[in-house]
Amino acid sequence: IKKCHWITAQADYAPFFFDNGPYSNNGNMALISLSEDLPIGTQVYILNGTDPEGDLVTFGISFEPGKKEYFKVDPQSGNVTLIRELDREVHISVEKIRIFVTDTNDETPHFGNISFIVDVSEDKPSGSSIFKFNAVDKDTGSGGSVTYSLQNVQASKFAIDRHSGVLRIKRGETLDFEKSRTHFVTVIAKDGGGKYKGKEKVHSSSTTITINVIDVQDTPPLFIGTPYYGYVYEDTFPGSEVFTLTAHDGDRGNPNSINYSIIDGKKFKYIKAFITFFFSFCYKATETGPDGKLGAHCTTTLTIRVVDLNNHPPTFYGENGPQSKFELNMYEHPPEGEILRGLKITVNDSDQGANAKFNLRLVGPGGIFRVVPQTVLNEAQVTIIVENSAAIDYEKYQLLAFKLLAVEIETPERFSSTADIIIHLLDTNDNIPRFSSDYYIARVPENSPGGSNVVSVTAADPDSGLWGEVKYSIYGSGSDLFLIHPSTGIIYTQPWASLDAEVKSKYNFYVKAEDTEGKYSLAEVFVTVLDMNDHCPEFNDNIFEKTMIIGAPVKVEAVDYDAEEPNNVVEYSIMQTDPDNIFDINAATGEIKLKPYIKSLDIVQNITKQKDCKWSVVIQAKDRGSPSFSTTAVVKIDITEETRLRGPMAAFLLQSRDNPLKALGVLAGVICFMVIITVLISTAMFLRNKKSNRITPARRIIKKRPKDQHPRTARTAWFKLRRTSNLSEKFIITDHDQNCENLNSNNNVELPAPPPPCAPVLPPPTKYLVNPNKIELNLPTVSGAVASKTNTQSLYSKNPNISTALVSELKVKLEKKMMDANTYHI
C-alpha cells in the first residue's frame, strides 16, 4: 500500500505527518496490524498531520495500478475505513526497497512572510538605496538561485538590483510628499528554473513593500487624499452630499485659510458590462492670507462614479492579517504632532465606488489623538497623531483605551467595523515637587531649647520611582538659626540656637523641595518667636521722691521689657502706706492721687495727727504675664498746698505748671505789652504837655473805703521764676508789703521775700534705667528766672520830664489791673 497526501495551501513549506510510533492508532500509518476478520466499514486508523504555515490540510490514499483497494480516507478528518474484506492467505506481500531522492525545482523563493514598511524623506536623492530584500529558495543549483524584479517597473519611481535585492530610487526620479505620501511597490523573486516532474519549471513569489514618504517643510497648499474618487448610488436624492474636498496649507506651523473654487466640470459616460456614469470636476484650493489676499494655489480632480452595490464592511489589518486589537507602549508627553509609529494599521473596504468610502475616527478621551486620514476610499494606511501632549500623563492614566471606528459614509447599510487601540504609558520625570502650601506659619516660644521642633513642611512629586523622591533644604537670611531634615521636612532650631523675642521676634526663610534630577519648588516659612514673661517691671530712677500739690496727681512709671502684651502691660498698686487712707493709685497709668475727701493740708494733718506731710508709699508694679512678675519701690511723697487761684490767668498757670517755658513766654509777652502801652501813653502825655507849655498837676483818685473794712494795701506782683526741688515751691507769692493782712482768711503762712533774681541753674543729669534693647530719649530740662520788673523810682530817673501826677495815675491803674488779674510770681 502506498500513502499519498494533497495539501491545498499557498505556502512555501510542505505539510507533514505526525510520527507517533509503530502500532499507534493515529499519525503517519507507518506500521499497523489488522485482523483479517474485520467487518467492512470498520475505522482502522486516523491520519494526522499539519502545515507549517497553518493552512488547511487534507488527506488521501492511493494504490498501485491493478491492485485492489482495501481502504478509503476521509479527506477532512483523516479517518481510514476498511472497504473490502481481508484474507491473510491471499494478502499482498511487501518488499523493502531503498530510494535515493534527487533534487528537482519544487521550492519557491521565500521572503520570510513579513510586511515591509520603510520611511523615506522626500528629499532623498535619486539613486539612493532605501531597502534590501532577501528571498531564500531551498532548492539547489539554478533552482535555488534568486533574482529580483519589480512589478510595473515603468510606472514606478523605484528600481531594484536583480542580484542583490537592493531597492533604490530611480535615477532622475524624486519623491514628493505633497503628491504621494505612500508608495506600494511589489517585488518579485524568481528562481533560475529547473526540471520538475519532467518539465522545465520556474518558481516565483512576490511581496509588497510600503514606502512612507516623510514630509519636508514647504509652503504650497495641497489636497489631502488625492486622487479623489467619489461614489454615489444612482437613486441618490439631489442635494445630497457626495464628497468633501480637504486641503491645507503646507506650512503647518502657521497655516493660512483655504479658499475653494471650481475650475471646470464635465460629464462623460463609459460602459463596461453595465452602464456606469463618471463625473469629473477640477477644483482649485487657494491660500488666503490674513489681509484677504489670495496666494499660492493647487488643483485637483474629483471623479465620481455611480454604482449600485454594497456588500463588504471596512476591515482593519495588522502585520499578520485581519486584526481587531492593537497595543503600543510609549512614554508620556510625546511631542505634539508625533506619529505613533508602533501601530501598523491598514484599513480596507473591498467594495467599489461610493460603497468603499468611509470615515475613520477615534472614540475615547477626546482631544488627545487624531486619526489621519479621516476619510478613506478603498484602502489607506492609518496614522494616529498626538494632538494634546499634556493629556498623555502617566500620573493620570497608565493605560489609554480607544476604539478606532470605520463607518461607511453614504451607503444605505452604513457598514462599520472597530478595532481596539490600547496604549500603555511609561513614566518620565515630568513633574516637580509641590509643597502643600505656598507658605508655612510657625510659632515657637522664646525659651525653647536648641533642637526644638518648629514646623513640618510637606511636598509631593507624583512621578514614580526615584523621580518621586523629595529632598528638603532651607536657605535665606533668616534661616541661620534653623535646620531641616532632608527626608521628612521637619524644621528644627539649631542645637546652639537661643531665641529671644525681645531681640528678634520674626524670622522668614525659604524651603526647597528637590527631586533626584534637580527639579524643585520653593515655599516660604514665617516663624514667630512667642514672647514669654521673662522680664520684671523696672521703675524709673526719678520716682523715689515726689512732691504732690493737693488736687494734682503725681505719677510713677515702670517699664517691662517683654516684647508683647500682656507680658509688658504693667499694673500699679499701693502695697503699704501709713496711714493707709490717704492715697489712691490708678492701676493703669500709675497716677497717685489723694483721697477725694482731702481738700487741704488741714485735713491731712487732722488725719495723720502730725504736721510733717511727707510719706513713704510702697508701690508695686506688676505685669499681666503668666506667671506674673512684680517689682516694688518706695516713693517719698511731700504734700503741699497751692494758693487758690481765680480767673483765666490762674487756670492757665495751673495748666502750665508742668511746662514752665510756656508760662514764662506768655508772662513775658504780657509784660512787654504793658510796657509798650505805658511808653505810648507817657509819650503822648509828654508831647501834649510840651505843646501847651504847662505842667499838669498831679491827680490822684481817692475812693472812700467802708468804715468796717480794714485798710487794703495794693500789692505789686513781681514775677520771679526759679528752679526748686519741691513742686510746691513752683508757685511763690511775693509782696512788698510784708506786714499786710491775710485778706483770704486762710491758714497760709506768709512767705519771706524772694531772693533777688539769679541766672538759671542747669538741672542735674537725669538717670535712666539702662536697657540695651530700648532707645533712650534724653529730654533736657530748662529752668530760669524772670528778673524783677523795674520799680517806679527807676522809671522816674530815666524819664525826668514825665510829671509826677501822670506817673502816679499810671501806677495806680497798673496795680489795679494786676490785682484784678490775680497775677502771681512763678
Side-chain angles (χ1 to χ4, degrees):
I1 298 174
K2 280 190 176 178
K3 298 184 296 298
C4 299
H5 59 271
W6 292 269
I7 303 172
T8 58
Q10 297 177 355
D12 295 330
Y13 295 97
F16 58 90
F17 285 100
F18 295 127
D19 185 6
N20 296 325
Y23 302 106
S24 65
N25 62 356
N26 68 82
N28 57 8
M29 205 173 174
L31 179 62
I32 62 172
S33 176
L34 301 175
S35 175
E36 64 178 351
D37 59 348
L38 284 176
I40 296 174
T42 302
Q43 180 178 315
V44 298
Y45 200 85
I46 300 175
L47 295 176
N48 194 356
T50 187
D51 183 75
E53 287 76 30
D55 293 335
L56 181 65
V57 177
T58 60
F59 304 89
I61 189 169
S62 64
F63 296 86
E64 294 180 1
K67 299 294 184 178
K68 292 181 180 180
E69 295 183 359
Y70 288 87
F71 306 95
K72 72 173 181 178
V73 177
D74 186 290
Q76 304 300 325
S77 64
N79 293 336
V80 180
T81 306
L82 181 68
I83 61 175
R84 187 183 296 275
E85 290 183 351
L86 298 176
D87 188 352
R88 182 179 178 280
E89 286 70 24
V90 295
H91 193 274
I92 303 169
S93 61
V94 178
E95 180 178 342
K96 293 183 179 180
I97 61 172
R98 175 174 295 177
I99 301 173
F100 293 94
V101 181
T102 61
D103 187 28
T104 61
N105 189 18
D106 60 344
E107 296 290 341
T108 302
H110 178 61
F111 283 95
N113 290 329
I114 60 174
S115 298
F116 300 98
I117 300 175
V118 64
D119 296 333
V120 181
S121 175
E122 68 174 339
D123 59 352
K124 193 83 169 178
S126 62
S128 300
S129 60
I130 59 176
F131 194 78
K132 186 178 184 304
F133 291 92
N134 185 22
V136 177
D137 191 325
K138 295 183 179 180
D139 290 322
T140 59
S142 63
S145 63
V146 179
T147 57
Y148 304 89
S149 61
L150 298 182
Q151 188 179 36
N152 196 14
V153 66
Q154 290 78 13
S156 176
K157 290 179 175 289
F158 307 92
I160 191 168
D161 187 287
R162 66 187 309 271
H163 298 291
S164 65
V166 174
L167 183 66
R168 291 185 172 87
I169 302 174
K170 269 186 183 180
R171 298 288 181 182
E173 295 284 350
T174 58
L175 303 179
D176 192 346
F177 177 83
E178 286 71 23
K179 293 181 180 179
S180 180
R181 299 184 181 182
T182 306
H183 296 272
F184 299 97
V185 178
T186 301
V187 179
I188 301 172
K190 183 170 64 173
D191 63 17
K195 287 190 177 184
Y196 179 66
K197 295 184 178 180
K199 296 181 181 180
E200 285 292 326
K201 184 69 175 179
V202 176
H203 293 282
S204 65
S205 63
S206 64
T207 188
T208 300
I209 181 171
T210 301
I211 301 172
N212 295 322
V213 180
I214 305 302
D215 188 24
V216 174
Q217 180 69 18
D218 46 28
T219 56
L222 70 159
F223 284 96
I224 299 175
T226 58
Y228 290 138
Y229 295 96
Y231 303 88
V232 62
Y233 286 100
E234 59 185 356
D235 59 350
T236 301
F237 293 101
S240 299
E241 181 179 339
V242 176
F243 196 85
T244 301
L245 298 174
T246 304
H248 65 72
D249 186 4
D251 296 324
R252 303 306 299 274
N254 186 21
N256 291 326
S257 59
I258 303 298
N259 181 38
Y260 298 89
S261 61
I262 186 168
I263 299 176
D264 185 23
K266 59 184 178 179
K267 173 181 176 182
F268 64 95
K269 181 170 68 174
Y270 177 79
I271 302 177
K272 183 178 180 181
F274 55 89
I275 297 177
T276 303
F277 291 91
F278 289 85
F279 297 88
S280 180
F281 301 90
C282 186
Y283 291 92
K284 181 170 73 172
T286 307
E287 292 182 22
T288 303
D291 55 358
K293 293 183 179 180
L294 298 178
H297 69 275
C298 63
T299 60
T300 189
T301 300
L302 169 62
T303 302
I304 299 176
R305 188 181 66 182
V306 181
V307 294
D308 59 352
L309 294 175
N310 181 36
N311 55 2
H312 291 90
T315 304
F316 293 100
Y317 294 88
E319 295 181 346
N320 298 317
Q323 190 170 329
S324 62
K325 185 176 181 180
F326 300 86
E327 296 192 62
L328 171 69
N329 294 330
M330 64 177 293
Y331 284 101
E332 62 177 336
H333 303 305
E336 292 184 1
E338 182 173 294
I339 297 173
L340 303 188
R341 303 187 185 279
L343 295 176
K344 306 297 182 180
I345 306 174
T346 304
V347 63
N348 175 272
D349 190 326
S350 42
D351 288 321
Q352 298 297 319
N355 295 332
K357 184 180 179 181
F358 54 92
N359 281 340
L360 287 176
R361 60 189 176 96
L362 285 174
V363 179
I368 299 178
F369 298 100
R370 62 186 176 92
V371 62
V372 175
Q374 295 181 350
T375 303
V376 179
L377 182 63
N378 290 109
E379 183 176 284
Q381 290 285 91
V382 179
T383 302
I384 297 179
I385 300 175
V386 176
E387 193 169 53
N388 184 358
S389 176
I392 308 173
D393 192 346
Y394 177 84
E395 284 69 41
K396 295 180 180 178
Y397 317 100
Q398 283 75 49
L399 182 143
L400 293 172
F402 297 87
K403 290 281 188 182
L404 181 58
L405 178 62
V407 182
E408 291 181 350
I409 300 173
E410 298 169 355
T411 62
E413 297 81 7
R414 306 286 289 184
F415 289 146
S416 65
S417 62
T418 60
D420 293 317
I421 307 296
I422 307 298
I423 300 175
H424 302 274
L425 294 182
L426 305 176
D427 194 20
T428 62
N429 189 19
D430 60 324
N431 292 282
I432 65 174
R434 295 288 185 186
F435 281 98
S436 59
S437 175
D438 292 333
Y439 59 88
Y440 295 87
I441 298 175
R443 295 175 176 86
V444 183
E446 65 177 342
N447 60 355
S448 299
S452 297
N453 191 330
V454 177
V455 68
S456 177
V457 300
T458 56
D461 190 327
D463 290 320
S464 61
L466 294 176
W467 292 329
E469 295 182 1
V470 179
K471 180 181 179 182
Y472 299 94
S473 59
I474 61 174
Y475 68 95
S477 58
S479 63
D480 297 340
L481 299 181
F482 305 92
L483 55 86
I484 188 170
H485 193 283
S487 299
T488 63
I490 299 176
I491 299 176
Y492 305 89
T493 58
Q494 293 280 6
W496 45 265
S498 177
L499 302 179
D500 191 342
E502 288 74 45
V503 176
K504 185 175 182 181
S505 62
K506 303 289 184 182
Y507 296 87
N508 71 290
F509 50 86
Y510 291 94
V511 289
K512 178 180 181 182
E514 185 177 11
D515 65 15
T516 54
E517 289 189 351
K519 294 183 178 181
Y520 68 91
S521 63
L522 301 176
E524 194 165 4
V525 178
F526 299 89
V527 179
T528 300
V529 180
L530 299 178
D531 182 48
M532 304 301 292
N533 193 20
D534 55 355
H535 288 82
C536 297
E538 299 179 10
F539 284 102
N540 295 336
D541 287 348
N542 58 358
I543 73 165
F544 300 112
E545 290 188 1
K546 297 286 184 180
T547 300
M548 176 182 288
I549 298 174
I550 294 177
V554 295
K555 185 176 182 180
V556 296
E557 185 175 4
V559 178
D560 192 312
Y561 291 107
D562 284 312
E564 298 177 359
E565 296 181 358
N567 296 334
N568 59 4
V569 177
V570 179
E571 294 181 340
Y572 303 91
S573 61
I574 297 175
M575 301 299 295
Q576 182 180 355
T577 182
D578 188 17
D580 58 359
N581 57 349
I582 296 295
F583 301 102
D584 286 331
I585 190 169
N586 188 313
T589 64
E591 290 185 345
I592 302 175
K593 295 181 180 179
L594 292 170
K595 295 285 187 180
Y597 60 83
I598 299 177
K599 304 294 185 180
S600 65
L601 287 175
D602 292 339
I603 298 175
V604 176
Q605 292 171 354
N606 291 335
I607 293 174
T608 60
K609 305 301 181 182
Q610 60 182 7
K611 294 188 176 182
D612 186 7
C613 296
K614 290 186 178 180
W615 281 268
S616 294
V617 181
V618 179
I619 305 297
Q620 182 189 63
K622 182 179 181 181
D623 63 29
R624 294 183 181 178
S626 179
S628 178
F629 293 100
S630 63
T631 303
T632 58
V634 177
V635 182
K636 294 182 179 180
I637 300 178
D638 184 7
I639 300 177
T640 63
E641 185 176 30
E642 63 180 351
T643 303
R644 299 181 182 275
L645 303 176
R646 296 190 304 274
M649 182 61 71
F652 170 75
L653 291 175
L654 283 175
Q655 294 175 0
S656 305
R657 64 180 179 268
D658 293 330
N659 192 350
L661 290 179
K662 181 178 179 182
L664 177 62
V666 173
L667 292 177
V670 172
I671 293 173
C672 291
F673 176 76
M674 295 177 67
V675 170
I676 291 172
I677 295 298
T678 302
V679 172
L680 289 176
I681 295 174
S682 301
T683 303
M685 295 296 294
F686 173 75
L687 293 176
R688 187 184 66 174
N689 293 338
K690 184 177 180 181
K691 184 176 181 181
S692 60
N693 292 322
R694 65 185 177 87
I695 300 176
T696 303
R699 293 179 296 175
R700 180 176 297 178
I701 299 175
I702 302 175
K703 294 183 179 180
K704 285 188 177 182
R705 186 179 292 113
K707 295 181 180 180
D708 57 344
Q709 185 176 357
H710 294 285
R712 188 174 179 180
T713 59
R715 294 182 298 172
T716 303
W718 306 105
F719 302 106
K720 297 183 177 65
L721 177 62
R722 61 173 179 157
R723 171 177 167 76
T724 64
S725 60
N726 194 327
L727 291 177
S728 63
E729 296 178 3
K730 285 186 178 180
F731 298 89
I732 301 174
I733 301 175
T734 59
D735 201 333
H736 289 286
D737 301 328
Q738 298 294 331
N739 299 321
C740 65
E741 236 179 289
N742 185 357
L743 300 179
N744 294 326
S745 300
N746 56 22
N747 295 326
N748 290 346
V749 179
E750 290 291 330
L751 299 176
C758 59
V761 180
L762 295 175
T766 305
K767 297 181 180 180
Y768 296 92
L769 295 176
V770 179
N771 188 334
N773 302 319
K774 300 294 180 180
I775 300 175
E776 296 185 1
L777 299 176
N778 297 326
L779 302 178
T781 302
V782 179
S783 63
V786 179
S788 299
K789 188 176 182 182
T790 307
N791 57 24
T792 308
Q793 205 64 19
S794 62
L795 185 62
Y796 291 164
S797 62
K798 291 183 179 180
N799 299 280
N801 296 326
I802 300 176
S803 66
T804 305
L806 179 60
V807 173
S808 300
E809 184 179 359
L810 293 175
K811 179 179 177 182
V812 171
K813 290 181 178 181
L814 179 61
E815 289 177 351
K816 183 175 181 301
K817 185 180 294 185
M818 294 176 65
M819 290 175 61
D820 291 340
N822 289 321
T823 306
Y824 296 93
H825 206 85
I826 298 178

